[in-house]
Amino acid sequence: MFERRTLATGVLALLVAMSLAVSGQAQGQPAGQGAAPPQGRGAGGRGAGAGRGRGDAGAFTPEPGAKDLKSVLFNWTWHMGMLRSGAESELVKTLDYYGASGTVQVNGQPCTLTRYHLQANYQIPGYRIDIACTRANKQTYSVVENMSGDYAWDDDIPGAELVAGKGKSTPRQDTLTERRIRLWASPHGAPKAAIAAAAGMHPLQSFGQNPATLIDRQAAAGVKGTTTLTWEGEKAVVTFPVPDVPGATATATLVNYLPERVVVTNGKETTEFVYGKWADFNNPLFKIEALIPTTTVERKNGAAARNVTSKVTEIGQIYVIVPVPDSIQKAGK
């Protein structure tokens, strides 16, 4: 179960979110002034210096139009609003996401969503997706998909078996690879994986650091990364290994530093994630300029798998955990 503590944790989450927003505002263009944006920010992308980054100088400022790997990876996370604090560190640890509409495939048939609630923690790493939908024959379907570390399982209710006698958990180790791919090809997972691979490490080690500073430090230490960059006209194409899925490779195609698609190849299997119209879906009263796609389309070997439209998000450092039920641990990996 992902646990969100009601009062104390809610206050903590609000304070953290407020600190993120305030720090972003303090380091961008001063309120009410026409300060010039930092050089290189926003080239070909969103409004330069929009609430993030240091308005004078940061740990790293790409040259305008820079096409090297370090600059592209930095700009990718910067344009998505993943870099926070004076050091412009990558500080998106968790995600709470609600879908508004869409479909998922159930036994090869489309099922219209009535609920799609995803909570992810990139540091476990793991996630839970609470899904409910209605099939064409009006039958309803629901499942809670879980992945935590080396375990994958389904619940019939959120947090099944964490309280004795409540709910049923079913091992689904056969889906572990699929769920890992879904996490690391996700809007936040993909740049985390690409930066980590460029630094020769796992995303759990690269979190909380400035991407450019991290890559420079690793290169100075003689560490060779495995992320590569090519260009298709004005589109940057970033290729990197998928964490914890040996042999799997992800290729992200960026337009104005935001991914329009991520394609994962794992042996003979191909999974494609298509992202459309990036926007801030945080609470309308508390936007923090952290972006996520309006639409996410997932295809498996060319066939439709999921299509979800965003409704509302909380992005940053909210409280999210993914405990593995005893029965799932006993069933083994």
Side-chain angles (χ1 to χ4, degrees):
M1 174 183 180
F2 283 75
E3 182 180 346
R4 298 282 305 279
R5 291 180 181 170
T6 56
L7 180 59
T9 302
V11 172
L12 176 61
L14 177 60
L15 291 175
V16 171
M18 289 175 67
S19 68
L20 287 174
V22 170
S23 65
Q25 183 180 23
Q27 295 152 43
Q29 178 172 308
Q33 299 181 27
Q39 183 183 27
R41 300 286 199 271
R46 303 174 59 221
R52 298 185 311 281
R54 295 170 60 97
D56 50 349
F60 173 70
T61 300
E63 293 296 323
K67 291 192 172 183
D68 61 287
L69 177 62
K70 181 175 71 172
S71 295
V72 168
L73 293 177
F74 181 92
N75 277 326
W76 182 357
T77 47
W78 192 90
H79 280 74
M80 286 181 57
M82 296 174 67
L83 303 186
R84 301 282 170 172
S85 81
E88 293 184 318
S89 300
E90 194 279 287
L91 291 174
V92 173
K93 182 177 182 179
T94 56
L95 170 67
D96 190 18
Y97 172 96
Y98 287 88
S101 60
T103 59
V104 297
Q105 296 294 306
V106 177
N107 297 325
Q109 299 298 318
C111 192
T112 302
L113 289 171
T114 56
R115 182 175 66 252
Y116 192 90
H117 181 201
L118 181 152
Q119 291 178 302
N121 185 321
Y122 306 102
Q123 295 303 103
I124 294 175
Y127 67 76
R128 172 181 101 177
I129 309 178
D130 185 4
I131 298 172
C133 59
T134 303
R135 309 183 205 204
N137 61 7
K138 306 303 180 183
Q139 290 184 338
T140 60
Y141 171 84
S142 65
V143 67
V144 183
E145 300 176 344
N146 302 276
M147 188 272 285
S148 182
D150 294 328
Y151 295 93
W153 73 99
D154 288 347
D155 288 336
D156 59 351
I157 61 172
E161 296 189 13
L162 296 181
V163 176
K166 299 290 185 179
K168 173 65 177 177
S169 298
T170 303
R172 289 298 309 275
Q173 286 301 106
D174 59 309
T175 68
L176 181 60
T177 293
E178 173 187 305
R179 295 180 186 185
R180 282 176 168 169
I181 288 173
R182 187 172 289 122
L183 179 70
W184 295 119
S186 71
H188 297 123
K192 287 174 178 287
I195 290 168
M201 58 180 57
H202 192 279
L204 302 189
Q205 299 170 297
S206 61
F207 173 76
Q209 303 184 59
N210 178 289
T213 302
L214 172 66
I215 291 170
D216 283 345
R217 185 173 70 246
Q218 292 295 94
V223 178
K224 293 184 178 180
T226 53
T227 298
T228 61
L229 170 68
T230 59
W231 288 85
E232 295 179 356
E234 293 302 310
K235 297 182 179 182
V237 181
V238 183
T239 301
F240 52 94
V242 179
D244 306 319
V245 184
T249 301
T251 300
T253 302
L254 312 183
V255 178
N256 294 333
Y257 302 113
L258 297 175
E260 67 173 7
R261 71 183 66 245
V262 178
V263 179
V264 176
T265 303
N266 183 31
K268 297 181 179 180
E269 302 285 333
T270 299
T271 309
E272 179 184 30
F273 302 84
V274 180
Y275 299 122
K277 194 177 180 181
W278 290 78
D280 184 348
F281 281 91
N282 289 283
N283 188 301
L285 298 177
F286 196 65
K287 299 291 188 182
I288 62 171
E289 295 189 347
L291 306 187
I292 209 158
T294 300
T295 57
T296 298
V297 176
E298 179 183 336
R299 302 187 184 101
K300 185 72 172 290
N301 298 324
R306 299 187 179 185
N307 186 335
V308 183
T309 300
S310 300
K311 181 179 181 180
V312 66
T313 61
E314 283 189 59
I315 297 173
Q317 297 275 25
I318 61 173
Y319 182 73
V320 176
I321 61 172
V322 199
V324 182
D326 289 343
S327 67
I328 301 300
Q329 295 187 50
K330 291 176 181 178
K333 302 176 183 179

